[in-house]
Amino acid sequence: MSGSRTGRPPLQRSVRRPTPSVSYRDHPVRRLRRRLKKAWDRPLTAYYLILGGSLLITVLGLVMVYSASQIKALQLALPGSYFFRKQFLAAVIGGGLMFAAARMPVKLHRALAYPILAGAVFFMALVQVPGIGMAVNGNQNWISLGGSFQIQPSEFGKLALVLWGADLIARKHDKKLLAQWKHMLVPLVPVAFLLLGLIMLGGDMGTAIILTAILFGLLWLAGAPTRLFVGVLSIAAALGAILIKTSDNRMNRLACIGATEPVSGTVDCYQAVHGIYALASGGLFGSGLGASVEKWGQLPEAHTDFIFAVTGEELGLAGTLSVLALFAALGYAGIRVAGRTEDPFVRYAAGGVTTWITAQAVINIGAVLGLLPIAGVPLPLFSYGGSALLPTMFAIGLLIAFARDDPAARAALAARQPRFGRKRARGSGLGRQPRRWNTMRRRAPAARPSGER
């Protein structure tokens, strides 16, 4: 019997195992990146980004409208919550429109294109009739609905151009007519110029710029040749230069880009400079919600065109970056929906809506930052104004419907199990059927490849 001199069994030394080295592929940072990429590429990512991002922007906009409009309301001898209540009512109606648009089939969206276009043209022409149209801040683009309610038909012209233009280009795409430049331009460009002419009759240059951006977005998505695209762009730029040159007000706005003094010679840059003052005084986290100083009469249009400046003053850099991140996520989701669909109409409509919202956000924020001339356009879903909020929320509903219509997204939604409530079988006793979850699986069509990479 083997053992030690003391008679005790020898000690068994544990064999030290080598510490496994972390491979480059299993590094925590790379593992986190893979998880984020996997989550980013899920079928419902665009759906959640559009729904969640738009709702967050709208809710935050309601909060900032209430904060930025109180002083203006009190100056007009109105209750402090006057503008907030009107915006909240518009948000509720817009939410209903968004829900309805999200539930509509694509065929119904296409069927609504021509009635919406005809209605927009009719009411935009009605604005110019004396006694019916009314001017606000020098622009004849409003119709009074009685009391304190007005409507701006040109805002619905954006939605009309997106739906009608997408349906028109999709029909020509199906007939393989887009290779001919005549079919590429006619009647899309003449109808767009008709809408632009009706808008410019009222002097609203900002809305005309957004409508032009939508037109170019549709032409680019349709695959317009470079020379054709440049030709239309040159014509639009020449017309814009003439309109700016012939208006002293527009020339003054152009001269205020990068201004640091409220008054420089004969140019009045009061609004642009005080917008920069508001952003500069906000700091990293702002002065606090409701604690803005510039909204006490120094900053005109604090709750409409320059609400982003009040956001920067009260919520600071963190608040403004959050708003920018939400718009960036919304724009990415719209591009993703347009790029992964197989339906031409969905591609053009989603691209047109994304161009509309991102271009309007860039123009508004660029004007507040002093990088672009003040165009007088509201920040989408954020600024005060029911006429702008209603068609924008309907357009968001379009994006939600298109995101849900993706084959992979439909399969993912159909495969979900409800958390509450089971469908009880009728009858009792021996004839009772086994319980089944109340899902959409049986109604969902077979999933097709989504084209995801």
Side-chain angles (χ1 to χ4, degrees):
M1 181 176 180
S2 61
S4 62
R5 293 181 181 180
T6 59
R8 296 177 180 177
L11 296 175
Q12 299 292 334
R13 296 183 177 180
S14 60
V15 180
R16 181 176 294 177
R17 297 180 179 178
T19 304
S21 60
V22 180
S23 63
Y24 181 68
R25 177 174 294 182
D26 295 332
H27 194 275
V29 177
R30 290 182 61 85
R31 189 162 56 247
L32 178 62
R33 288 180 58 186
R34 288 200 302 270
R35 290 180 180 178
L36 290 177
K37 184 177 180 180
K38 183 178 179 181
W40 199 253
D41 289 336
R42 288 178 179 175
L44 293 176
T45 298
Y47 169 74
Y48 287 130
L49 283 178
I50 296 170
L51 179 61
S54 59
L55 290 180
L56 285 174
I57 294 173
T58 305
V59 172
L60 182 58
L62 286 173
V63 174
M64 294 310 305
V65 165
Y66 181 64
S67 175
S69 64
Q70 291 184 27
I71 308 304
K72 181 69 173 179
L74 294 176
Q75 289 175 347
L76 297 175
L78 297 171
S81 60
Y82 173 79
F83 293 103
F84 168 76
R85 285 181 295 177
K86 291 184 63 177
Q87 185 74 356
F88 182 78
L89 177 61
V92 171
I93 299 174
L97 292 176
M98 184 179 71
F99 180 80
R103 292 294 179 178
M104 287 181 186
V106 175
K107 290 183 178 180
L108 183 55
H109 289 147
R110 301 186 68 167
L112 289 175
Y114 285 86
I116 292 178
L117 177 65
V121 171
F122 173 76
F123 285 104
M124 289 169 66
L126 202 63
V127 167
Q128 306 305 323
V129 177
I132 298 179
M134 59 180 299
V136 176
N137 294 331
N139 292 335
Q140 183 82 12
N141 282 307
W142 298 81
I143 294 178
S144 177
L145 299 180
S148 60
F149 291 93
Q150 302 94 25
I151 188 172
Q152 187 176 2
S154 57
E155 293 290 340
F156 293 87
K158 304 172 187 176
L159 178 63
L161 181 60
V162 168
L163 283 177
W164 178 80
D167 178 72
L168 175 69
I169 299 175
R171 293 178 187 275
K172 293 191 175 186
H173 176 273
D174 295 336
K175 297 179 181 180
K176 303 185 184 302
L177 297 175
L178 293 179
Q180 306 176 27
W181 68 270
K182 293 182 179 179
H183 287 283
M184 178 74 71
L185 297 180
V186 180
L188 177 63
V189 174
V191 171
F193 279 5
L194 171 63
L195 295 174
L196 288 171
L198 291 174
I199 293 173
M200 290 308 301
L201 282 177
D204 191 356
M205 186 75 176
T207 305
I209 293 174
I210 305 300
L211 212 68
T212 305
I214 296 174
L215 173 61
F216 287 134
L218 291 174
L219 290 176
W220 183 77
L221 289 169
T226 304
R227 61 182 182 276
L228 187 63
F229 197 84
V230 172
V232 178
L233 181 61
S234 301
I235 295 174
L239 292 176
I242 294 173
L243 292 173
I244 293 175
K245 192 70 175 178
T246 55
S247 173
D248 294 335
N249 183 29
R250 296 180 188 129
M251 289 296 296
N252 291 338
R253 292 186 179 188
L254 193 64
C256 288
I257 297 178
T260 57
E261 296 294 335
V263 179
S264 177
T266 59
V267 180
D268 184 5
C269 301
Y270 186 87
Q271 185 174 8
V273 173
H274 276 275
I276 298 297
Y277 289 169
L279 291 172
S281 60
L284 187 59
F285 295 105
S287 58
L289 192 61
S292 170
V293 175
E294 292 293 331
K295 69 182 181 183
W296 286 77
Q298 285 82 10
L299 181 63
E301 308 298 335
H303 61 299
T304 55
D305 301 345
F306 273 72
I307 195 171
F308 189 75
V310 179
T311 303
E313 186 179 4
E314 296 187 349
L315 303 183
L317 181 63
T320 55
L321 290 181
S322 299
V323 174
L324 291 176
L326 289 174
F327 276 109
L330 192 60
Y332 167 79
I335 294 173
R336 174 169 168 163
V337 171
R340 297 192 176 190
T341 183
E342 298 176 0
D343 190 336
F345 172 78
V346 173
R347 182 185 307 115
Y348 301 138
V353 171
T354 306
T355 303
W356 163 14
I357 295 177
T358 53
Q360 186 164 329
V362 168
I363 292 173
N364 177 276
I365 295 174
V368 175
L369 295 176
L371 303 176
L372 295 174
I374 299 175
V377 296
L379 190 58
L381 302 173
F382 202 83
S383 297
Y384 170 79
S387 295
L389 185 62
L390 295 181
T392 306
M393 294 194 75
F394 187 90
I396 294 294
L398 290 178
L399 290 180
I400 294 174
F402 298 155
R404 289 170 54 94
D405 194 57
D406 181 80
R410 286 205 309 267
L413 290 172
R416 292 165 121 194
Q417 301 290 349
R419 295 183 179 180
F420 304 103
R422 290 186 174 185
K423 186 176 181 180
R424 296 183 178 181
R426 296 181 180 179
S428 59
L430 298 177
R432 178 175 298 177
Q433 300 294 329
R435 295 178 179 178
R436 297 180 180 177
W437 289 102
N438 186 17
T439 66
M440 297 175 61
R441 187 186 300 275
R442 294 186 299 275
R443 297 196 299 269
R448 296 177 295 171
S450 63
E452 293 185 349
R453 295 178 290 274

